[in-house]
Structure formats: C-alpha cells, structure tokens
Amino acid sequence: MGATNPVHGRVAGIVLVGGTGSRLFPATRVVNKHLLPVYDKPAIAFSMDVMKECGVNTLVLVCNAADEEIYRSIPAWLGYADIDIRTVVQEEPNGIAGAIACAREHLEPEGYERIVVALGDTLYVHSSTWAGDILRKTDATGCSAAVAVIEHPDPKDFGVVESTANGNVVRVREKANVRHSSQVCTGLYSFDSSMWKRLESIVPSRRGELEITSLLESYIDDGGLTAVAVPEEAGWFDVGTPDRLVDAAVARRRLLA
C-alpha cells in the first residue's frame, strides 16, 4: 500500500460516488461526475489516494446502479489493486448518512475499529499525505470521530464547524448563512464502530434526507468529535459545479507544470 496504517486497529473506508451530478449536466447524463477528469486523472482517484494514506485495505464505494460495474473494475483501469474494493448501490437518494448506512452489511460484520468516510466530489488535488491525521488525531485525543476542516472565506455552501481552541467540535451547521470566514467541512470523516448504531437513530430532516450533520451531532453530544485542520497546501476543492471543476483542474495543472 502507499502508506502504512496510521493507527492501531483495523481501518475500512467508504467513498460516496452516487448522485446525479445535476449541476454538471449535460456531461453527467452519461458519465458519473466522480469519473470526470481533474486534469490528469479522474476525480475518484483523489479519494482513492486518501484511502491509501489512511491505511485502508477494504473499501466500499456507494454508487448508482448504472455505474456499479465501472467502479467494481477500478483495479483493471485505474490501479489500486492492493485495496479490496466492494460496491453497493444506494437505492434511494436519502442523504449522506443514508448512503453511509448502505455500506453496513459489508463492513460491520468484519469488526473494523475505524471507518474513514469521504465524499467523492470533495478532493485534495495537491497532496493527500496529511490524510492519516483524520485517524491519528482521534487516537491522540481519545475522541470517537473526526471531521476534516479548512478555513473558507465564503462558507455558506458548506457545513460550518465551530470548535474550541483544542479542536473539540461543539457545533456543526449545514449551509449556514454565515458571512465571515469560518471553518467548513471538507468531506472527510473518521468514525468508530458505534457509527452503525448511531445511524439507526437518525430521522429524516425537513428536506426528507438522513443528514451527515445528525450523525456528527450524536458524537458532539458525547463530547467525542474533533476537528482536523486540512493544510492549505493540500489543495482542497469541491468539484460539484462547472466552475469548481475547472478551478480544481487548473490548480492540478499548475502543480504538475
């Protein structure tokens, strides 16, 4: 593997690569957005690199039925043959927490102590060598979960994270109307195995989805969620819109020039 397991205990991964990619139509009518190129490689490759840095050797890709075959064949066309890649279809678009729950049948019976979760359209296009911190910090602080955060000047489109000076998260607000620079979720998390039971208690939000915020709040209530700072040089981008996809590709090109 590209990196050794950064913590004691067995680590599995989940990458969410479903959705319609409606903001990227018409390209995503025929190609899943996580397969679109970010300059020199598809978006999914950046999430795979994160999983390698976290020492993951079993990975579940939560995808659409139409894309399952291509994701199952990743070792044949993209590499990562040292990772046991499994796929599961999210039958209904019921939110991020709902997507995570789809992986339960693959991972819970095998007793993984830590589960790293990544949103497939939020990428670190410069470097993922820091990613093991999402596990190391939970071990060092004794927390049960962690969220990767970065300071953002316009946080209204993201989950806003409020934390203490030592990194303990006290509040997460989804797409809050915040007009000043704030820490935001970058789409990378780690959870302990209690995650599976916590998911059972989540109820749909007003928009009818099982929210990742609800899962994070359950850890906050136990004092067990810590924030992990993403270094600026990691090159974080959300590639869910045409402009952001282009920006990520340009940043990647500059890195490799």
Side-chain angles (χ1 to χ4, degrees):
M1 298 190 62
T4 58
N5 187 333
V7 292
H8 299 294
R10 301 173 66 234
V11 182
I14 301 171
V15 180
L16 309 185
V17 290
T20 62
S22 58
R23 292 181 295 175
L24 291 165
F25 278 178
T28 48
R29 287 192 181 275
V30 292
V31 179
N32 184 271
K33 69 178 176 180
H34 308 94
L35 299 173
L36 293 174
V38 181
Y39 187 54
D40 63 320
K41 58 186 181 180
I44 182 65
F46 296 95
S47 297
M48 299 295 292
D49 289 345
V50 165
M51 293 296 151
K52 290 189 74 170
E53 290 294 337
C54 290
V56 165
N57 54 22
T58 301
L59 174 64
V60 176
L61 301 176
V62 182
C63 61
N64 303 325
D67 305 308
E68 188 173 18
E69 183 177 350
I70 189 68
Y71 283 121
R72 192 176 288 160
S73 67
I74 278 179
W77 60 273
L78 189 59
Y80 305 97
D82 50 352
I83 299 178
D84 175 14
I85 298 173
R86 307 172 187 180
T87 58
V88 64
V89 172
Q90 184 179 13
E91 300 291 352
E92 57 177 318
N94 62 344
I96 292 174
I100 295 170
C102 291
R104 184 173 188 170
E105 62 184 279
H106 284 278
L107 300 179
E108 187 182 30
E110 298 184 11
Y112 291 97
E113 287 89 355
R114 291 281 176 184
I115 302 96
V116 178
V117 177
L119 309 188
D121 57 0
T122 57
L123 313 179
Y124 311 99
V125 301
H126 288 174
S127 172
S128 57
T129 57
W130 62 273
D133 291 348
I134 200 77
L135 295 167
R136 284 186 286 265
K137 189 169 181 183
T138 53
D139 264 18
T141 60
C143 286
S144 302
V147 53
V149 302
I150 199 167
E151 195 76 16
H152 197 285
D154 187 18
K156 66 179 182 298
D157 290 338
F158 307 100
V160 175
V161 178
E162 299 176 15
S163 59
T164 64
N166 63 0
N168 286 344
V169 178
V170 296
R171 189 181 183 192
V172 178
R173 290 182 287 162
E174 189 64 33
K175 294 181 171 59
N177 188 23
V178 176
R179 300 182 182 276
H180 53 81
S181 181
S182 302
Q183 285 188 332
V184 301
C185 300
T186 65
L188 181 64
Y189 313 87
S190 76
F191 302 104
D192 68 356
S193 59
S194 74
M195 175 186 78
W196 305 118
K197 290 296 278 186
R198 294 171 188 270
L199 287 168
E200 293 177 4
S201 64
I202 294 176
V203 298
S205 65
R206 283 179 294 179
R207 58 179 184 168
E209 295 190 355
L210 302 175
E211 307 283 359
I212 183 70
T213 307
S214 298
L215 177 59
L216 297 176
E217 285 173 348
S218 78
Y219 282 97
I220 292 172
D221 290 344
D222 295 340
L225 181 63
T226 189
V228 176
V230 176
E232 200 69 42
E233 58 269 23
W236 173 68
F237 287 90
D238 174 332
V239 296
T241 69
D243 285 343
R244 292 172 183 169
L245 181 63
V246 170
D247 289 345
V250 169
R252 179 74 179 171
R253 181 183 181 185
R254 287 174 178 162
L255 173 72
L256 300 177

